[in-house]
Amino acid sequence: MSQAVDLVRGALQLRDAQLLGAELAKLNHVLLDAQQRLFSLGAELLALQEQHFKAREELREMRETLAERSRYTLVEIGQGQMAYRSNNAPVLGAAIEPVLAQPQHYLCQQCWDIRGAKSILVLHLDAADGPVAICRNCRDGWMRADLIAR
Ligand SMILES: [Zn+2]
């Protein structure tokens, strides 16, 4: 009798072990899928973080550019000759006599708009042939600056 019970017990254990093995295989498969998904999400997160970083950097640069541009006004310095004139705002906190943040100057419009380079125009307002402005970065010659002299 006890031999029969042992045989039944053994058969049950064998069946339980086979069932357990099959369930463990399923569980293992689910875990592998979850792990793969996790790796995939990690890669997506990294890509999104890089995009976010680049977008923030672009935004910061655009704000700087906008702030820089707001310190200048596009003006005509001679007939058909354009330049950026500095907007001279007084320094905050200057007590009685307002102090200018920087001396009045003109930037070459072509250098700034086309090359993104700030190039201060050299003015020769007392030139024999009339006022001229020279950009040493982009022009061999000069441009008329009659309108500055007025
Ligand atoms: Zn220039």
Side-chain angles (χ1 to χ4, degrees), residues 15-149:
R15 186 202 64 186
D16 289 349
Q18 284 173 342
L19 286 176
L20 188 61
E23 289 305 312
L24 282 177
K26 284 182 197 169
L27 182 62
N28 211 16
H29 186 71
V30 168
L31 284 175
L32 282 175
D33 279 351
Q35 195 174 27
Q36 293 239 327
R37 184 76 183 128
L38 194 61
F39 283 138
S40 174
L41 288 173
E44 283 179 37
L45 179 63
L46 189 64
L48 286 173
Q49 283 174 331
E50 283 178 23
Q51 280 181 357
H52 177 69
F53 179 77
K54 282 181 187 172
R56 281 184 63 174
E57 192 62 20
E58 281 179 20
L59 181 62
R60 187 190 62 74
E61 286 173 8
M62 290 177 121
R63 282 183 174 154
E64 278 180 13
T65 300
L66 196 59
E68 185 68 15
R69 291 276 177 169
S70 73
R71 289 192 276 273
Y72 292 89
T73 302
L74 186 64
V75 295
E76 189 174 22
I77 61 171
Q79 192 167 4
Q81 306 292 328
M82 306 300 281
Y84 285 102
R85 183 185 63 216
S86 60
N87 299 328
N88 286 341
V91 173
L92 291 177
I96 301 168
E97 193 86 10
V99 178
L100 297 180
Q102 57 186 354
Q104 173 94 57
H105 60 278
Y106 292 83
L107 297 179
C108 175
Q109 177 265 324
Q110 285 194 21
C111 278
W112 206 8
D113 287 347
I114 296 170
R115 297 175 195 84
K118 286 173 67 179
S119 177
I120 294 177
L121 295 174
V122 178
L123 303 177
H124 297 281
L125 301 180
D126 297 325
D129 295 335
V132 293
I134 298 169
C135 172
R136 293 195 169 126
N137 284 329
C138 71
R139 296 172 201 268
D140 294 330
W142 48 269
M143 58 183 132
R144 304 289 318 174
D146 304 285
L147 301 177
I148 294 178

